[in-house]
Amino acid sequence: MTSLDRAKDLLKQMTLTEKVGQLVLRAGCNLDEQGVPDSVDLMKQIEEGKVGTIIQLPTDMSETADYMQHYALEHSRLKIPLLINSDMIHGLETIFPVPIASACSFDTSLVEKSAKASAEEANACGIRYTNAPMIDISRDPRWGRIVESPGEDSYLAGEMAKAFVRGFQNEDAYVMSTLKHYAGYGACEGGRDYDVCEMCENTMLNTYLYPFEQGVKAGADSVMTGFNIIENIPVSGNKKYLRDILRDKFGFNGLVISDAGSCFEMISYGYAKDLYDCAVKSLVAGVDIDLGSDVYQFELENAIRDGKVSEELLDEAVLRVLVKKFDLGLFDDPFKRLPKETIFSDEHLKVAEELALECPVLLENNGILPIAKTKKIAFVGEFSLSKDLLGCWQYSQHVDDVKTIVSGFVDDGFDVVGVCEDYDINNAKKICEKADVVIFNIGESSESNGEARSHHDLHVRNDAINCFNALKAAGKNVVTLVVSGRPMILNEFVSSDALVMGWNLGHKMADAIAKLFSGEANFSGKLSATIPACEGQIPVYYAKKKLGRPYVKSNATWRFQARYDDGLTDPAYVFGYGLSYSKFIYGEITLDKETMEKGGQIVASINITNDSDCDGVEVVQLYINDKVSEVVRPEKELKGFKRIFMKAHETKKVDFVITEEKLQYYHFDGKCFADSGEFEVFIGSDSNVENKKLFILR
Ligand code: BGC
């Protein structure tokens, strides 16, 4: 019997209350010292079959998850197992780099491995459903949730979405993944969390929904609605986006879960009258599981009895939940899981270190890096001895098992002569007196980004800037390390002898940074989001749409173009940018033919030479410009990338296959196809690439 057949059989036996119960998600509870749950109310609801999913963000997940699961199986009438759900943005117990950082690796197979490791840990705790990956396109670092996202680019986000889905939904330790937050949540006005998203359907389809479409194609089991509105309708009540686009156009047949409270918030949007109205609108629009609004719990049964929403619609949603439970094997053995030893294992920490090595982005380097271990080094800054390196959105019980940056360098054999934990100028100067190199660390605490952490000021604190200037004026060699979950304004630090965007890299941050700074490892990270030169130019990103009066850098002072008259138009560092200890030289692009027939392909090739004494990895990037299109399109868009390892002085030919699919986009009528005509293909080391060739699609 298929899962669907089994689910249909079960559905026939269910009361209306039990059906609604499958769409209800409740927060889990904790167990006290005697092993007694601290919520009588929750246990009663489970017993009555009124809860389908539990979200658990607790102290000991596996013990409480098991308790509730046993309770459901032993006390509820139909013995339907619970789905145990948890947020797992960059790890459960082993913490990996924050997603904005892991996207800088452009390493989909390693990101997949990290997601698989997270799934193994979740599986060992009984968690079979995660609210990840977050794949909101984020072009505004004022928005604190940029940290959770793969950055500004649709194609990169799409590749990361697929990698996360493959990793979570792996064969050995399958955990259902959730693509979130569908959609446009990252485009909130002014970078203010929960603010309005103003966007036309065409941009939504081509830019913001692209990663979701890719994640759906990869088989993601679930999608979470955002808090925002699209085309003036709250997403949790938006039938066009949830049913017509997500289900009918993209072919999604998994679960739609609402974001916490988003069904209920339709009242404050002035889109629903009361809880009852919210319940009706959410189910009609296509929300299957109500997270945190309680509108299904309190009103859905009434609305169905009143005939305000059909029982068929309810049955469809319930079937979807039951099918997933059967597919997961929960009805057969809900306690089947990997051994606990997998949690925070050496194997997972190894993956965490491999990924942490690939995420930092070298922004400046006058040759001070790598630092020979014979040099004396000193540390200045608030992150020197801090354990706040993991990043936000993590609930690991291993928060103390984090090595500080200083310990990472000491363990790696560096000669550390002093540490100044603050930015007191006199103290810092004194401590750094004997040092050949100062590692100056700046950034944000993990409390400063994430949900509801919008900032209008992205500057580094003033005392840090003053201290940095004083050390530079004293003639010190200063390497600046940025520890942050979002791009910040770094103008005051571009005169650093080296500047490194280090992000929050998780448990292996300190070891990874030490290895990169010593040259035991080489930098290969490339920016997944533009670093602005000032807040006033935000949003700033590379894939700008073509304009009637575009900003032309070579003629930057001409007024009548899209520029700022009073300051910087160019960002500080563009998408895709990042240096290495190797020096990569790009040759000319060659195409195997100049015309592509419909359905055909073109191979674009380029020779790249590592013109240095240092082995290294280059992230080679392919961009495409559709020269004349039916709707206005971006100047160029990333359409491919490859991480290429090259030995010192080696030359390699790198090929990209350009298929017609890479040229397609959603047209005004909502159809997806490629325009005939001219296309430019660019291959280079960042989004400023000018090296290009033309071909024609016939
Ligand atoms: C966040 C979601 C998260 C949910 C459950 C919400 O506040 O927006 O991303 O999955 O909480 O923790």
Side-chain angles (χ1 to χ4, degrees), residues 25-53:
L25 177 148
R26 288 278 323 258
C29 60
N30 285 312
L31 303 178
D32 66 17
E33 276 165 15
Q34 279 75 45
V36 178
D38 60 10
S39 172
V40 178
D41 169 54
L42 175 66
M43 291 303 132
K44 185 160 176 286
Q45 245 184 298
I46 293 177
E47 187 176 329
E48 290 169 354
K50 290 181 175 171
V51 186
T53 305

PDB file of all heavy atoms in Angstrom, residues 25-53:
ATOM      1  N   LEU A  25       0.134  22.949  15.106  1.00  0.00           N
ATOM      2  CA  LEU A  25       1.502  22.815  15.625  1.00  0.00           C
ATOM      3  C   LEU A  25       1.554  23.518  16.969  1.00  0.00           C
ATOM      4  O   LEU A  25       1.054  24.624  17.115  1.00  0.00           O
ATOM      5  CB  LEU A  25       2.486  23.465  14.653  1.00  0.00           C
ATOM      6  CG  LEU A  25       3.962  23.488  15.068  1.00  0.00           C
ATOM      7  CD1 LEU A  25       4.860  23.408  13.823  1.00  0.00           C
ATOM      8  CD2 LEU A  25       4.331  24.732  15.861  1.00  0.00           C
ATOM      9  N   ARG A  26       2.116  22.853  17.930  1.00  0.00           N
ATOM     10  CA  ARG A  26       2.262  23.468  19.253  1.00  0.00           C
ATOM     11  C   ARG A  26       3.725  23.438  19.670  1.00  0.00           C
ATOM     12  O   ARG A  26       4.484  22.551  19.274  1.00  0.00           O
ATOM     13  CB  ARG A  26       1.449  22.680  20.304  1.00  0.00           C
ATOM     14  CG  ARG A  26      -0.058  22.816  20.227  1.00  0.00           C
ATOM     15  CD  ARG A  26      -0.618  24.070  20.897  1.00  0.00           C
ATOM     16  NE  ARG A  26       0.059  24.488  22.120  1.00  0.00           N
ATOM     17  CZ  ARG A  26      -0.396  24.266  23.356  1.00  0.00           C
ATOM     18  NH1 ARG A  26      -1.514  23.613  23.548  1.00  0.00           N
ATOM     19  NH2 ARG A  26       0.278  24.699  24.410  1.00  0.00           N
ATOM     20  N   ALA A  27       4.094  24.414  20.496  1.00  0.00           N
ATOM     21  CA  ALA A  27       5.451  24.407  21.045  1.00  0.00           C
ATOM     22  C   ALA A  27       5.551  23.255  22.033  1.00  0.00           C
ATOM     23  O   ALA A  27       4.593  22.972  22.764  1.00  0.00           O
ATOM     24  CB  ALA A  27       5.728  25.721  21.742  1.00  0.00           C
ATOM     25  N   GLY A  28       6.686  22.594  22.057  1.00  0.00           N
ATOM     26  CA  GLY A  28       6.869  21.463  22.970  1.00  0.00           C
ATOM     27  C   GLY A  28       7.062  21.947  24.394  1.00  0.00           C
ATOM     28  O   GLY A  28       7.039  23.146  24.684  1.00  0.00           O
ATOM     29  N   CYS A  29       7.241  20.999  25.273  1.00  0.00           N
ATOM     30  CA  CYS A  29       7.430  21.384  26.675  1.00  0.00           C
ATOM     31  C   CYS A  29       8.768  20.826  27.145  1.00  0.00           C
ATOM     32  O   CYS A  29       9.501  20.232  26.372  1.00  0.00           O
ATOM     33  CB  CYS A  29       6.298  20.805  27.507  1.00  0.00           C
ATOM     34  SG  CYS A  29       6.228  19.028  27.413  1.00  0.00           S
ATOM     35  N   ASN A  30       9.069  21.057  28.376  1.00  0.00           N
ATOM     36  CA  ASN A  30      10.261  20.467  28.975  1.00  0.00           C
ATOM     37  C   ASN A  30       9.841  19.470  30.048  1.00  0.00           C
ATOM     38  O   ASN A  30       8.695  19.492  30.509  1.00  0.00           O
ATOM     39  CB  ASN A  30      11.143  21.559  29.576  1.00  0.00           C
ATOM     40  CG  ASN A  30      11.867  22.308  28.479  1.00  0.00           C
ATOM     41  OD1 ASN A  30      12.466  21.704  27.583  1.00  0.00           O
ATOM     42  ND2 ASN A  30      11.776  23.620  28.508  1.00  0.00           N
ATOM     43  N   LEU A  31      10.765  18.645  30.418  1.00  0.00           N
ATOM     44  CA  LEU A  31      10.484  17.686  31.502  1.00  0.00           C
ATOM     45  C   LEU A  31      11.208  18.162  32.755  1.00  0.00           C
ATOM     46  O   LEU A  31      12.350  18.626  32.665  1.00  0.00           O
ATOM     47  CB  LEU A  31      11.004  16.297  31.113  1.00  0.00           C
ATOM     48  CG  LEU A  31      10.457  15.708  29.806  1.00  0.00           C
ATOM     49  CD1 LEU A  31      11.103  14.350  29.534  1.00  0.00           C
ATOM     50  CD2 LEU A  31       8.943  15.565  29.851  1.00  0.00           C
ATOM     51  N   ASP A  32      10.541  18.063  33.891  1.00  0.00           N
ATOM     52  CA  ASP A  32      11.236  18.482  35.115  1.00  0.00           C
ATOM     53  C   ASP A  32      12.157  17.357  35.594  1.00  0.00           C
ATOM     54  O   ASP A  32      12.307  16.331  34.915  1.00  0.00           O
ATOM     55  CB  ASP A  32      10.235  18.940  36.192  1.00  0.00           C
ATOM     56  CG  ASP A  32       9.360  17.780  36.682  1.00  0.00           C
ATOM     57  OD1 ASP A  32       9.733  16.604  36.447  1.00  0.00           O
ATOM     58  OD2 ASP A  32       8.304  18.054  37.285  1.00  0.00           O
ATOM     59  N   GLU A  33      12.749  17.562  36.761  1.00  0.00           N
ATOM     60  CA  GLU A  33      13.739  16.571  37.219  1.00  0.00           C
ATOM     61  C   GLU A  33      13.167  15.173  37.401  1.00  0.00           C
ATOM     62  O   GLU A  33      13.871  14.180  37.269  1.00  0.00           O
ATOM     63  CB  GLU A  33      14.378  17.052  38.522  1.00  0.00           C
ATOM     64  CG  GLU A  33      15.519  18.016  38.221  1.00  0.00           C
ATOM     65  CD  GLU A  33      15.961  18.796  39.431  1.00  0.00           C
ATOM     66  OE1 GLU A  33      15.598  18.417  40.564  1.00  0.00           O
ATOM     67  OE2 GLU A  33      16.667  19.798  39.224  1.00  0.00           O
ATOM     68  N   GLN A  34      11.870  15.116  37.669  1.00  0.00           N
ATOM     69  CA  GLN A  34      11.240  13.794  37.831  1.00  0.00           C
ATOM     70  C   GLN A  34      10.771  13.247  36.474  1.00  0.00           C
ATOM     71  O   GLN A  34      10.116  12.207  36.393  1.00  0.00           O
ATOM     72  CB  GLN A  34      10.013  13.877  38.751  1.00  0.00           C
ATOM     73  CG  GLN A  34      10.324  13.869  40.235  1.00  0.00           C
ATOM     74  CD  GLN A  34      10.874  15.200  40.705  1.00  0.00           C
ATOM     75  OE1 GLN A  34      10.343  16.250  40.354  1.00  0.00           O
ATOM     76  NE2 GLN A  34      11.977  15.158  41.441  1.00  0.00           N
ATOM     77  N   GLY A  35      11.073  13.963  35.411  1.00  0.00           N
ATOM     78  CA  GLY A  35      10.648  13.513  34.083  1.00  0.00           C
ATOM     79  C   GLY A  35       9.185  13.822  33.802  1.00  0.00           C
ATOM     80  O   GLY A  35       8.559  13.200  32.940  1.00  0.00           O
ATOM     81  N   VAL A  36       8.612  14.779  34.531  1.00  0.00           N
ATOM     82  CA  VAL A  36       7.204  15.134  34.324  1.00  0.00           C
ATOM     83  C   VAL A  36       7.136  16.364  33.413  1.00  0.00           C
ATOM     84  O   VAL A  36       7.863  17.334  33.623  1.00  0.00           O
ATOM     85  CB  VAL A  36       6.526  15.445  35.697  1.00  0.00           C
ATOM     86  CG1 VAL A  36       5.076  15.863  35.500  1.00  0.00           C
ATOM     87  CG2 VAL A  36       6.631  14.229  36.605  1.00  0.00           C
ATOM     88  N   PRO A  37       6.262  16.325  32.372  1.00  0.00           N
ATOM     89  CA  PRO A  37       6.183  17.471  31.454  1.00  0.00           C
ATOM     90  C   PRO A  37       5.635  18.713  32.152  1.00  0.00           C
ATOM     91  O   PRO A  37       4.773  18.600  33.030  1.00  0.00           O
ATOM     92  CB  PRO A  37       5.217  16.991  30.372  1.00  0.00           C
ATOM     93  CG  PRO A  37       4.477  15.860  30.959  1.00  0.00           C
ATOM     94  CD  PRO A  37       5.343  15.242  31.997  1.00  0.00           C
ATOM     95  N   ASP A  38       6.154  19.876  31.754  1.00  0.00           N
ATOM     96  CA  ASP A  38       5.708  21.092  32.439  1.00  0.00           C
ATOM     97  C   ASP A  38       4.474  21.720  31.791  1.00  0.00           C
ATOM     98  O   ASP A  38       4.135  22.854  32.089  1.00  0.00           O
ATOM     99  CB  ASP A  38       6.868  22.104  32.551  1.00  0.00           C
ATOM    100  CG  ASP A  38       7.418  22.512  31.199  1.00  0.00           C
ATOM    101  OD1 ASP A  38       6.791  22.165  30.181  1.00  0.00           O
ATOM    102  OD2 ASP A  38       8.472  23.164  31.165  1.00  0.00           O
ATOM    103  N   SER A  39       3.792  20.985  30.902  1.00  0.00           N
ATOM    104  CA  SER A  39       2.554  21.519  30.335  1.00  0.00           C
ATOM    105  C   SER A  39       1.458  20.453  30.317  1.00  0.00           C
ATOM    106  O   SER A  39       1.434  19.579  29.455  1.00  0.00           O
ATOM    107  CB  SER A  39       2.796  22.042  28.920  1.00  0.00           C
ATOM    108  OG  SER A  39       1.561  22.369  28.332  1.00  0.00           O
ATOM    109  N   VAL A  40       0.564  20.566  31.277  1.00  0.00           N
ATOM    110  CA  VAL A  40      -0.552  19.618  31.381  1.00  0.00           C
ATOM    111  C   VAL A  40      -1.468  19.799  30.172  1.00  0.00           C
ATOM    112  O   VAL A  40      -1.972  18.842  29.577  1.00  0.00           O
ATOM    113  CB  VAL A  40      -1.342  19.917  32.682  1.00  0.00           C
ATOM    114  CG1 VAL A  40      -2.529  18.989  32.818  1.00  0.00           C
ATOM    115  CG2 VAL A  40      -0.415  19.813  33.879  1.00  0.00           C
ATOM    116  N   ASP A  41      -1.639  21.053  29.836  1.00  0.00           N
ATOM    117  CA  ASP A  41      -2.517  21.422  28.739  1.00  0.00           C
ATOM    118  C   ASP A  41      -2.085  20.759  27.417  1.00  0.00           C
ATOM    119  O   ASP A  41      -2.898  20.201  26.676  1.00  0.00           O
ATOM    120  CB  ASP A  41      -2.458  22.963  28.651  1.00  0.00           C
ATOM    121  CG  ASP A  41      -3.095  23.492  27.412  1.00  0.00           C
ATOM    122  OD1 ASP A  41      -4.251  23.138  27.204  1.00  0.00           O
ATOM    123  OD2 ASP A  41      -2.429  24.236  26.658  1.00  0.00           O
ATOM    124  N   LEU A  42      -0.779  20.793  27.161  1.00  0.00           N
ATOM    125  CA  LEU A  42      -0.270  20.197  25.920  1.00  0.00           C
ATOM    126  C   LEU A  42      -0.525  18.690  25.903  1.00  0.00           C
ATOM    127  O   LEU A  42      -0.948  18.118  24.895  1.00  0.00           O
ATOM    128  CB  LEU A  42       1.232  20.497  25.770  1.00  0.00           C
ATOM    129  CG  LEU A  42       1.920  19.845  24.576  1.00  0.00           C
ATOM    130  CD1 LEU A  42       1.370  20.409  23.261  1.00  0.00           C
ATOM    131  CD2 LEU A  42       3.433  20.066  24.618  1.00  0.00           C
ATOM    132  N   MET A  43      -0.284  18.050  27.035  1.00  0.00           N
ATOM    133  CA  MET A  43      -0.472  16.598  27.092  1.00  0.00           C
ATOM    134  C   MET A  43      -1.939  16.230  26.843  1.00  0.00           C
ATOM    135  O   MET A  43      -2.244  15.255  26.173  1.00  0.00           O
ATOM    136  CB  MET A  43      -0.007  16.056  28.460  1.00  0.00           C
ATOM    137  CG  MET A  43       1.473  16.143  28.659  1.00  0.00           C
ATOM    138  SD  MET A  43       2.365  15.268  27.337  1.00  0.00           S
ATOM    139  CE  MET A  43       3.541  16.483  26.897  1.00  0.00           C
ATOM    140  N   LYS A  44      -2.832  17.068  27.365  1.00  0.00           N
ATOM    141  CA  LYS A  44      -4.263  16.802  27.189  1.00  0.00           C
ATOM    142  C   LYS A  44      -4.608  16.929  25.696  1.00  0.00           C
ATOM    143  O   LYS A  44      -5.335  16.097  25.131  1.00  0.00           O
ATOM    144  CB  LYS A  44      -5.064  17.805  28.028  1.00  0.00           C
ATOM    145  CG  LYS A  44      -6.547  17.558  28.035  1.00  0.00           C
ATOM    146  CD  LYS A  44      -7.198  18.261  29.237  1.00  0.00           C
ATOM    147  CE  LYS A  44      -8.702  18.100  29.203  1.00  0.00           C
ATOM    148  NZ  LYS A  44      -9.349  18.924  28.181  1.00  0.00           N
ATOM    149  N   GLN A  45      -4.033  17.956  25.085  1.00  0.00           N
ATOM    150  CA  GLN A  45      -4.303  18.162  23.649  1.00  0.00           C
ATOM    151  C   GLN A  45      -3.787  16.988  22.810  1.00  0.00           C
ATOM    152  O   GLN A  45      -4.445  16.542  21.875  1.00  0.00           O
ATOM    153  CB  GLN A  45      -3.596  19.433  23.192  1.00  0.00           C
ATOM    154  CG  GLN A  45      -4.571  20.523  22.762  1.00  0.00           C
ATOM    155  CD  GLN A  45      -3.828  21.714  22.227  1.00  0.00           C
ATOM    156  OE1 GLN A  45      -3.071  22.333  22.939  1.00  0.00           O
ATOM    157  NE2 GLN A  45      -4.042  22.026  20.963  1.00  0.00           N
ATOM    158  N   ILE A  46      -2.601  16.503  23.177  1.00  0.00           N
ATOM    159  CA  ILE A  46      -2.034  15.363  22.447  1.00  0.00           C
ATOM    160  C   ILE A  46      -2.959  14.149  22.604  1.00  0.00           C
ATOM    161  O   ILE A  46      -3.291  13.452  21.646  1.00  0.00           O
ATOM    162  CB  ILE A  46      -0.598  15.041  22.942  1.00  0.00           C
ATOM    163  CG1 ILE A  46       0.362  16.191  22.576  1.00  0.00           C
ATOM    164  CG2 ILE A  46      -0.098  13.721  22.369  1.00  0.00           C
ATOM    165  CD1 ILE A  46       1.784  16.018  23.089  1.00  0.00           C
ATOM    166  N   GLU A  47      -3.400  13.944  23.836  1.00  0.00           N
ATOM    167  CA  GLU A  47      -4.274  12.811  24.140  1.00  0.00           C
ATOM    168  C   GLU A  47      -5.573  12.874  23.313  1.00  0.00           C
ATOM    169  O   GLU A  47      -6.066  11.858  22.820  1.00  0.00           O
ATOM    170  CB  GLU A  47      -4.600  12.866  25.642  1.00  0.00           C
ATOM    171  CG  GLU A  47      -5.336  11.703  26.164  1.00  0.00           C
ATOM    172  CD  GLU A  47      -5.521  11.838  27.683  1.00  0.00           C
ATOM    173  OE1 GLU A  47      -4.658  12.433  28.365  1.00  0.00           O
ATOM    174  OE2 GLU A  47      -6.556  11.348  28.168  1.00  0.00           O
ATOM    175  N   GLU A  48      -6.084  14.073  23.125  1.00  0.00           N
ATOM    176  CA  GLU A  48      -7.351  14.226  22.398  1.00  0.00           C
ATOM    177  C   GLU A  48      -7.159  14.272  20.877  1.00  0.00           C
ATOM    178  O   GLU A  48      -8.096  14.532  20.130  1.00  0.00           O
ATOM    179  CB  GLU A  48      -8.054  15.512  22.878  1.00  0.00           C
ATOM    180  CG  GLU A  48      -8.580  15.379  24.302  1.00  0.00           C
ATOM    181  CD  GLU A  48      -9.038  16.713  24.891  1.00  0.00           C
ATOM    182  OE1 GLU A  48      -8.844  17.763  24.236  1.00  0.00           O
ATOM    183  OE2 GLU A  48      -9.582  16.694  26.004  1.00  0.00           O
ATOM    184  N   GLY A  49      -5.914  14.067  20.441  1.00  0.00           N
ATOM    185  CA  GLY A  49      -5.645  14.065  18.991  1.00  0.00           C
ATOM    186  C   GLY A  49      -5.741  15.456  18.391  1.00  0.00           C
ATOM    187  O   GLY A  49      -6.065  15.622  17.219  1.00  0.00           O
ATOM    188  N   LYS A  50      -5.436  16.465  19.194  1.00  0.00           N
ATOM    189  CA  LYS A  50      -5.585  17.833  18.714  1.00  0.00           C
ATOM    190  C   LYS A  50      -4.267  18.491  18.322  1.00  0.00           C
ATOM    191  O   LYS A  50      -4.211  19.703  18.116  1.00  0.00           O
ATOM    192  CB  LYS A  50      -6.266  18.680  19.794  1.00  0.00           C
ATOM    193  CG  LYS A  50      -7.733  18.329  20.012  1.00  0.00           C
ATOM    194  CD  LYS A  50      -8.314  19.245  21.067  1.00  0.00           C
ATOM    195  CE  LYS A  50      -9.810  19.012  21.214  1.00  0.00           C
ATOM    196  NZ  LYS A  50     -10.335  19.748  22.368  1.00  0.00           N
ATOM    197  N   VAL A  51      -3.197  17.707  18.256  1.00  0.00           N
ATOM    198  CA  VAL A  51      -1.892  18.255  17.851  1.00  0.00           C
ATOM    199  C   VAL A  51      -1.258  17.310  16.837  1.00  0.00           C
ATOM    200  O   VAL A  51      -1.228  16.098  17.043  1.00  0.00           O
ATOM    201  CB  VAL A  51      -0.916  18.365  19.056  1.00  0.00           C
ATOM    202  CG1 VAL A  51       0.371  19.062  18.635  1.00  0.00           C
ATOM    203  CG2 VAL A  51      -1.548  19.085  20.209  1.00  0.00           C
ATOM    204  N   GLY A  52      -0.736  17.871  15.758  1.00  0.00           N
ATOM    205  CA  GLY A  52      -0.079  17.035  14.748  1.00  0.00           C
ATOM    206  C   GLY A  52       1.426  17.175  14.768  1.00  0.00           C
ATOM    207  O   GLY A  52       2.165  16.247  14.461  1.00  0.00           O
ATOM    208  N   THR A  53       1.896  18.374  15.107  1.00  0.00           N
ATOM    209  CA  THR A  53       3.330  18.669  15.045  1.00  0.00           C
ATOM    210  C   THR A  53       3.742  19.422  16.297  1.00  0.00           C
ATOM    211  O   THR A  53       2.981  20.234  16.819  1.00  0.00           O
ATOM    212  CB  THR A  53       3.639  19.551  13.806  1.00  0.00           C
ATOM    213  OG1 THR A  53       3.150  18.895  12.649  1.00  0.00           O
ATOM    214  CG2 THR A  53       5.124  19.811  13.642  1.00  0.00           C
TER     215      THR A  53
END
